[in-house]
Amino acid sequence: MTEIKGLGAASGCARGHAVIFRTGSLSLEKKFVSDTAAEIEAMENGRQKYNETLKKLAEEARVSHGDKSAEIFEAYQEIIQDDVFFGQVKDIILSENVCASYAIEKKRAEVEEAFSVVDDDYLKARAADINNVCRELMSELQGISSGDPFAGAVGDDLIIFAEDLTPSDTVRLDRSRLKGMVTERGGVTSHTVILAKALGIPAVVGCGPMLDRLASGETVLVDGSAGVAVVSPDSKKLAEFEAKSGQAAKMKAVYDECRIKPAATKDGFPVRVNVNSGDKESIATFDAAGCDGVGLFRTEFLYMGHSDYPTEDEQFEVYKDMAVRTAGKELIIRTLDIGGDKQLGYMDLPKESNPFLGYRAIRLCLDRTEMFKTQLRAILRASAFGNVKIMFPMIVSLEELLRAKELVRECMAELEEKGFPFNPDIPVGIMVETPAAVLISDALAKHSDFFSIGSNDLIQYTTATDRMNERVQYLYDSCNVSVLRAVKTVCDNAHANNIEVGICGETASEPRLIPLWCAFGVDELSVAPALVGRTKYIVTQVTKSDIMEKTDKILSSGKISDAKNMLEKILEELGI
Ligand code: PEP
Ligand code: MG
């Protein structure tokens, strides 16, 4: 029995037989050429041919799997048609007298490195797309065909194991026989994973080198939620798997039912469960019926995939579309939370040694007021079309909040003059995600219409632990009692000032913490779309008054492990 661990990318459980899919190995050698014009011509022909293939694959995918699957090939087409990228490849061929494959690989590696410092899953996935397109083009140039991954495979319950799968590989697979996907590389938001989700098959990605340890035909179990594949399972594992997949199917049905209903604790305290959104995929798949609203609409994506600042009209169209689609439910738009670690060429941001403590988010916006006001006007205009709220990130002082609100008022006056409609009473709130904001939350609450606790950053700043630094991840702990006490303080100060408080960091959907959030009186939890049902279900299992009796003990435990044990015991008692 071999256990392979990776990232749970598309949920679900599957049992089947392994198919090892190896693509031919590409030559990345630096070959010098005398006829650079011939290399460029070969590359251009290859681009054209691959573009035609993608067009055909998009049409096929649209017919067999719907529009969503076709989008993947359209995104690839955009890359293969990118004359700026391939113009730079041509420059490398000409200036270094090298073959096209080497020049493509050099440019690809440069882009990969530039993207590697960006803390944004969506952009990381686009870097993976560029890798895939370059790989396909190099295969074409070197005459390596990917072929049919299932050629020679027997049976109709196949689990594919590959180094990585391009969407073209995935579409070449016979859907009726494919039961799961496991790859050495790839991130949880790669387009391959999106396709796996669209097809409803579990996927585990980013497992690291494993193909050499496997043989085609072996029995395999894939658990896409846990991010594990078990090859040649023993009878105990098989029995566990059968029990787990039966239980998972049962709970999925329960969660689906909860998702579309309002949630309240057993003793009648309502908790709205919203979704976090703000990348193209979550916007495209947003379903207002499956949540109580949007608790965090991240706007960075509007600024990141572009070569210049997005205009007021461009932003307005996106916000208005979401405002209309949320159909009267709340849409909390967070103003730009960028800077420091996220280098955008056109913004000309300084390199900083402590980017998370540097020139970012509201600090950047209050410094670059024209950019900020462009966004505020776009949000205000969208407020005429739905229940829109404005939220400022990274607040550390009352002055920042007051200045930001002053700019909102200036924008209102400008829009009024131009005759644009907007909601003059638009609620304006803040993210509480710094210890400073926690400690002055009583004062901030007097000038905020709502709070939303950004626990991702609050944990980072409270525990002084870089959320991106793997070496100190053991300290980045949502159950550190300092964090739990901070959340309690914010909830108390919000309620003492009659405003609502939500949580929009990942802890909002952490099962063992949901009962505690209910006891604190959190009004709203904003979670990943796939977790709305489970979060609501847990809320409905909690009796707030019971947990309130236990909070003092949890909050006074010195050790993180003691707090965790108590929280886990509560879950157990609730039967979760
Ligand atoms: C947070 O900090 O909890 C949060 C939701 O914001 P982000 O993850 O975008 O920093
Ligand atoms: Mg944050």
Side-chain angles (χ1 to χ4, degrees):
M1 184 170 84
T2 312
E3 203 162 273
I4 294 166
K5 289 204 171 90
L7 305 166
S11 62
C13 294
R15 177 182 172 165
H17 292 93
V19 172
I20 315 299
F21 177 56
R22 291 176 200 273
T23 43
S25 57
L26 287 169
S27 162
L28 306 177
E29 201 188 326
K30 184 172 187 176
K31 284 192 196 135
F32 291 99
V33 295
S34 49
D35 192 354
T36 47
E39 286 301 308
I40 291 174
E41 193 185 335
M43 181 176 82
E44 288 305 305
N45 289 339
R47 280 177 70 194
Q48 211 174 350
K49 198 164 157 207
Y50 186 39
N51 190 34
E52 287 302 316
T53 307
L54 287 168
K55 210 163 124 191
K56 217 169 110 230
L57 285 169
E59 278 155 22
E60 281 171 17
R62 183 169 284 113
V63 173
S64 54
H65 304 312
D67 281 354
K68 192 100 206 86
S69 311
E71 277 173 18
I72 293 164
F73 301 105
E74 285 155 6
Y76 273 37
Q77 273 185 286
E78 271 178 35
I79 298 169
I80 198 72
Q81 290 167 3
D82 185 342
D83 288 332
V84 176
F85 180 89
F86 286 102
Q88 288 164 353
V89 173
K90 278 183 213 165
D91 290 345
I92 297 172
I93 297 175
L94 291 170
S95 61
E96 298 186 29
N97 291 312
V98 287
C99 65
S101 281
Y102 173 78
I104 295 168
E105 172 57 18
K106 185 172 179 187
K107 188 70 216 152
R108 183 206 66 75
E110 269 174 38
V111 172
E112 185 172 61
E113 187 171 347
F115 276 96
S116 70
V117 295
V118 176
D119 168 26
D120 182 287
D121 285 347
Y122 180 77
L123 289 183
K124 283 207 162 108
R126 299 296 74 77
D129 292 344
I130 294 172
N131 281 345
N132 286 340
V133 168
C134 289
R135 202 179 88 191
E136 294 267 343
L137 180 57
M138 287 190 276
S139 300
E140 174 72 42
L141 291 174
Q142 295 176 23
I144 300 167
S145 150
S146 301
D148 172 8
F150 285 168
V154 183
D156 55 6
D157 56 352
L158 304 178
I159 312 270
I160 193 160
F161 286 77
E163 188 188 322
D164 201 357
L165 287 167
T166 66
S168 340
D169 294 333
T170 324
V171 158
R172 275 195 288 264
L173 296 165
D174 178 352
R175 162 80 179 97
S176 64
R177 302 167 76 196
L178 178 67
K179 296 289 174 273
M181 293 170 21
V182 185
T183 62
E184 293 186 337
R185 296 202 318 231
V188 290
T189 55
S190 68
H191 268 147
T192 303
V193 172
I194 294 161
L195 189 61
K197 284 185 181 162
L199 298 177
I201 46 178
V204 179
V205 300
C207 301
M210 57 159 177
L211 296 187
D212 293 343
R213 290 187 278 145
L214 307 173
S216 285
E218 288 179 294
T219 298
V220 188
L221 307 175
V222 182
D223 182 340
S225 315
V228 182
V230 183
V231 185
S232 301
D234 57 21
S235 53
K236 189 168 161 249
K237 261 279 174 253
L238 275 173
E240 269 172 33
F241 176 83
E242 295 303 341
K244 192 172 173 187
S245 50
Q247 179 64 9
K250 230 167 62 199
M251 286 317 288
K252 188 179 176 303
V254 174
Y255 298 159
D256 282 349
E257 213 174 291
C258 285
R259 202 167 61 92
I260 49 175
K261 291 197 245 169
T265 61
K266 276 193 177 358
D267 42 353
F269 291 91
V271 179
R272 294 194 303 284
V273 180
N274 287 338
V275 293
N276 291 346
S277 180
D279 56 73
K280 285 189 184 146
E281 300 306 331
S282 69
I283 293 169
T285 54
F286 174 68
D287 169 24
C291 62
D292 297 324
V294 179
L296 169 64
F297 189 71
R298 291 184 169 99
T299 56
E300 292 71 61
F301 81 102
L302 284 167
Y303 295 76
M304 292 187 76
H306 301 264
S307 54
D308 204 350
Y309 292 100
T311 65
E312 181 181 316
D313 283 347
E314 278 165 0
Q315 295 189 58
F316 165 66
E317 289 302 334
V318 173
Y319 304 149
K320 175 187 157 191
D321 177 54
M322 277 309 277
V324 171
R325 288 169 61 203
T326 41
K329 296 178 177 178
E330 68 191 327
L331 165 62
I332 303 178
I333 302 180
R334 177 177 75 181
T335 59
L336 185 60
D337 184 6
I338 212 164
D341 60 321
K342 293 168 191 160
Q343 297 292 325
L344 293 184
Y346 66 89
M347 276 198 190
D348 197 21
L349 298 171
K351 270 221 173 326
E352 300 179 312
S353 50
N354 277 314
F356 280 112
L357 304 180
Y359 184 60
R360 55 173 302 202
I362 196 72
R363 303 167 183 190
L364 178 80
C365 288
L366 292 180
D367 186 41
R368 301 187 179 193
T369 47
E370 274 322 304
M371 175 195 79
F372 190 33
K373 284 176 71 179
T374 302
Q375 179 174 42
L376 291 175
R377 282 192 299 269
I379 300 173
L380 284 169
R381 283 170 58 190
S383 72
F385 296 87
N387 183 6
V388 175
K389 303 180 180 182
I390 300 178
M391 179 160 75
F392 303 125
M394 273 289 287
I395 294 286
V396 299
S397 72
L398 184 55
E399 284 82 349
E400 285 173 325
L401 170 60
L402 296 178
R403 174 69 182 134
K405 287 178 74 172
E406 197 176 297
L407 292 171
V408 172
R409 282 194 298 275
E410 276 180 29
C411 290
M412 285 184 177
E414 288 163 16
L415 291 177
E416 209 158 61
E417 203 167 298
K418 288 192 185 136
F420 283 113
F422 61 87
N423 173 11
D425 299 316
I426 185 169
V428 178
I430 63 163
M431 289 192 72
V432 180
E433 52 184 346
T434 63
V438 172
L439 294 170
I440 57 165
S441 51
D442 53 339
L444 292 167
K446 294 187 171 53
H447 299 272
S448 302
D449 294 317
F450 63 92
F451 281 163
S452 184
I453 299 172
S455 53
N456 302 341
D457 275 318
L458 187 59
I459 298 168
Q460 152 163 277
Y461 294 124
T462 304
T463 62
T465 306
D466 182 344
R467 68 195 247 196
M468 304 293 293
N469 184 337
E470 279 163 27
R471 295 187 69 178
V472 290
Q473 279 315 287
Y474 69 100
L475 291 171
Y476 184 91
D477 199 319
S478 57
C479 294
N480 188 310
V481 179
S482 61
V483 176
L484 306 181
R485 287 188 195 175
V487 175
K488 171 88 165 54
T489 301
V490 178
C491 292
D492 290 348
N493 282 331
H495 293 145
N497 287 282
N498 298 316
I499 64 166
E500 287 197 341
V501 57
I503 302 179
C504 60
E506 298 305 307
T507 62
S509 56
E510 202 177 319
R512 64 186 166 195
L513 288 171
I514 295 171
L516 194 65
W517 303 155
C518 292
F520 289 175
V522 167
D523 301 282
E524 178 247 344
L525 295 168
S526 195
V527 306
L531 297 176
V532 172
R534 187 182 76 182
T535 305
K536 285 193 175 189
Y537 171 75
I538 298 175
V539 168
T540 61
Q541 301 307 298
V542 170
T543 303
K544 182 180 170 185
S545 55
D546 284 356
I547 315 296
M548 281 173 78
E549 280 173 19
K550 300 177 179 168
T551 52
D552 276 355
K553 202 158 169 221
I554 296 167
L555 295 183
S556 57
S557 52
K559 280 187 175 166
I560 299 170
S561 56
D562 288 344
K564 276 186 184 160
N565 287 339
M566 282 185 255
L567 291 165
E568 270 154 25
K569 190 153 171 272
I570 290 175
L571 267 195
E572 241 178 75
E573 286 164 5
L574 295 176
I576 294 164

